[in-house]
Amino acid sequence: MADLVMKAIRKDFGSFRAVDNINLTFAHGKLTALLGPSGCGKTTLLRMIAGLETPTRGQLMLGDQEITAKPAHQRKFGMVFQNFALFPHLSVAENIAYSLAIEGVAKARRRARADELLELVQLVGYGDRRIGELSGGQRQRVAIARALAQEPSVFLLDEPMSALDAKLREDMQVELRLLQQRVGITTIVVTHDQREAMTMADQIVVMSKGRAEQVGTPQEIYSRPANSFVASFIGKANFLAGEAQGGRFRVGDYLLQAPESRQFTNNSPVTIAVRPENAVIAETENAALGNNIPAEITFIRDVGSTRDIYLKTPVGEMIVEYGAGETLRPLSVGEKVPLHLPPEKLHVFPRDVEAAG
Amino acid sequence: MRISLFGRLFMGLSAVMLMLPILVVAASALNGGRSMLFPPQDPTLTRFSEFFISEPIWRTALGNSVIVALSSAAIAVLFAWPAAYFLWKRATGLSKAIAGLMALPFAVPPIVFGVGLGFMWSFLGGLGSLWAGILSHGALFAALPLVTISIGLQSIDRAHLDAAATMGATEGVTFRTIILPQTIPYTISGFFFAMVLSFNEFIVMFFVSSSSYATVTLQIFNSLRNGFTPTMAVGAITFIFVSVAAFSLVARYGDLPRLMGADQSRN
Amino acid sequence: MSLSTAEDLPTPAPIVVREPSLWFKLGLVALLALLCLVPFLFVLTISFGHKIEGAGWAFGFEFSHYKRFFLGATWPETFQSLYIQRLGYSLFFAAIGAVIAVALAFPFTYFLTRMSRRAQTVWLVVLLSSLSLSEVFIVMGWDILLSARSGLPALLDGIGFTDLMKDLGWFQWFRDVGLASPRAFKFKTSGFATVLCMAYLVWPYAVILLYPALSRLDPALVEAARTMGARPGQVVRTVVLPSVRLPLFGSTLLLFVFLLGTYVTISVFADPSQHTLAVSIYDSVRGSTLNAPFGAAQSVILLITAGLFLIAGQKLSKAGGTA
């Protein structure tokens, strides 16, 4: 089982450090999503894996073989590009069989392989079409088939859904995941869409400013974000600024309980994150419950599947989300309600005082 | 957006002005006599047979024109391809120098370049030979295929090159299977541009041919002092026909508005 | 995840890129330098060379040809400005021709870019064919159109315009500006015919040069101006013209430089007293006077003039672009 391993990978473009000290293991047959905002270095990382960029420092291993300096055309990791990069002067089948054609495989075998892959991506009979005649979704399937035609040891996808419209995107995420599981190939997907990452991935790498902020399964990353960046990038979160105080946390005039995930010295600045669906609008002012903050409703957004209650509190504005199935007493704008922040749902991170926000 | 009445009137008038001298020349080829009269006197088609068949001066000149135009356009493309490719791959000082050299003859008054070429070929011993004329036109018009091929290369998505590499293609294979096929229309356009302009050029050719051979336009230029004759008008018709045919082919197989610099996202 | 430091791992060997193309590039540079640059160096060298009677020249270093150009051959005894005058006529005709061509090409190109893509393509074929048409054929056409026997003068005579002018007593004016002989209109040779033919010569170039800028002009700009109440003429003056000011200026300059070298138009349509530097270069190098070094010196001066205008234009447009 050949895992792909990155050791202390760094990439500089001039004085700009695009990727900084990345150590990752991409397990054989698993799908990893590189997730982050644009400019976080995820695409550069993917291009280094493909061999399209050389790392400034560090090592890239495939099993026990070092491939750091191996050029792209010798690695032959299949790759799906952002706008698919299908060759307009070749037909669909010729695009798919491109890697075989330049190896000198006979025409009939090329065609047979192309048909096989067209069947895999459910495009039987499209082999003789021109690229210009295909829809966005069909192009994506051709690009996937083309990347798989060479039976690559690693399958790379750079923002594969970005050229598709929203509805098609959701369907293709599921379809691509099922295809990947069927083929059982080590796959790395670059995306900026957390839903996409969580739909498809076994492992998510959250990246920011060239660094890996957190590595874990989708559930780990959602329920136990490692820092406030991850908490804000994966799902939604309300943030409160405060200080540690004798095992509890002071936010404005209020003292909040939270699980001791790590040791904080007294008065050290912290950020407390709480997801909108984890905050609760309490029935009554119950001091015994603790962790309550007075709030005033400023806006109610009811979009059917969820109801978002916008609140103004002495420590900042917050949003509470209720699902359609959850019961909630009738509320109106301007009403004063107690906001309950369940201690076990709070995430506390050290706050960098210098950096604003 | 609809074009106003004034606009249509202006364009119509421009078209008339543009066509007028050409139509007059075409009509005067029918003259029975030796002088250029309009409307033509004693209409006849004899001038056509003179130009293409019976008068060896014109037959030879036409042959020379064709040889020079075709070979110099081929040479211009051969010069332009590597220059455009280097410039596209990585715009180093050296590749910019190459492009600058190719643009130079095209940017100065052609009579000066012609005088210089005349001096140089007489010094090197090529003066009056057909190959010196071909090389001179090749250098003069290399800037045209350089521009069209550069436009073609710029239209290639660089992700295509990365895609080819991830499928096992070396630089050479990528060039052969991706870059070359996608730039063929632009190469052909550049060839036609260079060919048509070489076909019509005479000042540079005048200085490098040193009267030892003549192309059609040069032959007309040489007999300027004796005035124009209806046989020359046949040459004019032939040349217009060739130009229209060549540019129509470019328009048919390539995107002419885009080649001329129109924004392709519009219309 | 264990964090080993970056420092203890080796820097990977860079992917080796073969550069067989360097020698090829240098070879290409050498070949192009020979064909595209060396001719100009010959012109420069020979302009300082020595004239040999007949048609020859020898290497040398004398300024007599430049002296002859600026001060006359017989200076300091007498001063002649014949060649400076020729340069003046070169600039005069080229400037007027270029300005007229661009002025007429601008509205045409604007309307052209508003047409459908298909119509544009047809027009471009016509324009390119006209643009590449040899100067000899264009001069041939205008020669017939302006000739006394079968051109415009005969037409004006035939429709009675000549007699009308005579009756009105305005005919003398046409004679005064050199457009008529005692009995009829006469356009060959005249400044009018020269400028007309030169403007015609570069008009298609002007359209092709303005085409990119005008076709990239965002139609929303024009529509926005319309919604704010601008009449079509005002739109052109306040939106279109300002946004293509630089291409207009640049095209005029390029065509001006192009027209500096015109030979056939001048020699057929211009009065001998108004012949340009291009004509006298021709006469010196291959024509009647045969003095190659002097021809070279005139070429250098024409080249420097063209260069100065191009550089000045670049400076001006840069200043205009940042202002």
Side-chain angles (χ1 to χ4, degrees), chain A residues 47 52 72-73 76-77 79 81 85-89 98-99 102 146 150, chain B residues 157 159-160 162-170 173-174 177-178 181-182:
Chain A
R47 290 174 61 82
L52 297 169
H73 62 88
K76 292 186 70 175
F77 291 174
M79 182 154 166
F81 289 79
L86 297 174
F87 305 136
H89 60 292
Y98 179 80
S99 59
I102 61 178
R146 185 176 73 167
Q150 54 196 327
Chain B
D157 186 348
H160 286 178
D162 289 342
T166 62
M167 288 184 280
T170 58
V173 172
T174 308
T177 57
I178 309 297
Q182 290 198 39

Side-chain angles (χ1 to χ4, degrees), chain C residues 86-123:
Chain C
R86 297 237 152 134
L87 178 61
Y89 278 116
S90 291
L91 302 178
F92 174 74
F93 284 128
I96 296 183
V99 167
I100 292 177
V102 172
L104 291 174
F106 168 72
F108 178 86
T109 317
Y110 178 71
F111 296 131
L112 175 67
T113 55
R114 307 298 110 177
M115 295 172 84
S116 72
R117 191 103 171 166
R118 210 187 139 71
Q120 287 187 37
T121 306
V122 173
W123 261 113

Side-chain angles (χ1 to χ4, degrees), chain A residues 35-114:
Chain A
L35 176 64
S38 66
C40 72
K42 56 191 191 301
T43 295
T44 306
L45 200 64
L46 191 80
R47 290 174 61 82
M48 283 194 281
I49 297 168
L52 297 169
E53 304 280 357
T54 321
T56 311
R57 263 178 190 283
Q59 266 186 320
L60 193 62
M61 308 285 295
L62 183 63
D64 49 11
Q65 196 195 355
E66 170 161 9
I67 57 164
T68 321
K70 205 172 177 183
H73 62 88
Q74 284 170 22
R75 290 185 205 186
K76 292 186 70 175
F77 291 174
M79 182 154 166
V80 174
F81 289 79
Q82 218 177 99
N83 292 308
F84 311 136
L86 297 174
F87 305 136
H89 60 292
L90 301 179
S91 72
V92 167
E94 284 167 338
N95 261 283
I96 293 172
Y98 179 80
S99 59
L100 300 151
I102 61 178
E103 260 173 23
V105 172
K107 200 163 188 173
R109 274 195 48 207
R110 262 154 44 197
R111 186 62 207 232
R113 177 79 180 133

Side-chain angles (χ1 to χ4, degrees), chain A residues 306-324:
Chain A
T306 58
R307 276 164 296 171
D308 294 348
I309 320 295
Y310 288 61
L311 299 165
K312 198 169 83 184
T313 77
V315 292
E317 300 189 349
M318 298 185 68
I319 300 171
V320 179
E321 184 187 301
Y322 279 84

Side-chain angles (χ1 to χ4, degrees), chain A residues 183-229:
Chain A
V183 183
I185 185 173
T186 311
T187 303
I188 304 167
V189 180
V190 158
T191 178
H192 63 270
D193 178 349
Q194 53 112 359
R195 266 182 76 88
E196 186 174 311
M198 296 187 76
T199 307
M200 299 196 295
D202 295 302
Q203 171 183 256
I204 292 179
V205 179
V206 184
M207 290 184 70
S208 162
K209 293 174 185 160
R211 293 176 165 275
E213 299 284 350
Q214 190 173 3
V215 182
T217 65
Q219 283 324 306
E220 276 167 11
I221 285 183
Y222 188 82
S223 55
R224 288 197 298 282
N227 53 42
S228 54
F229 173 81

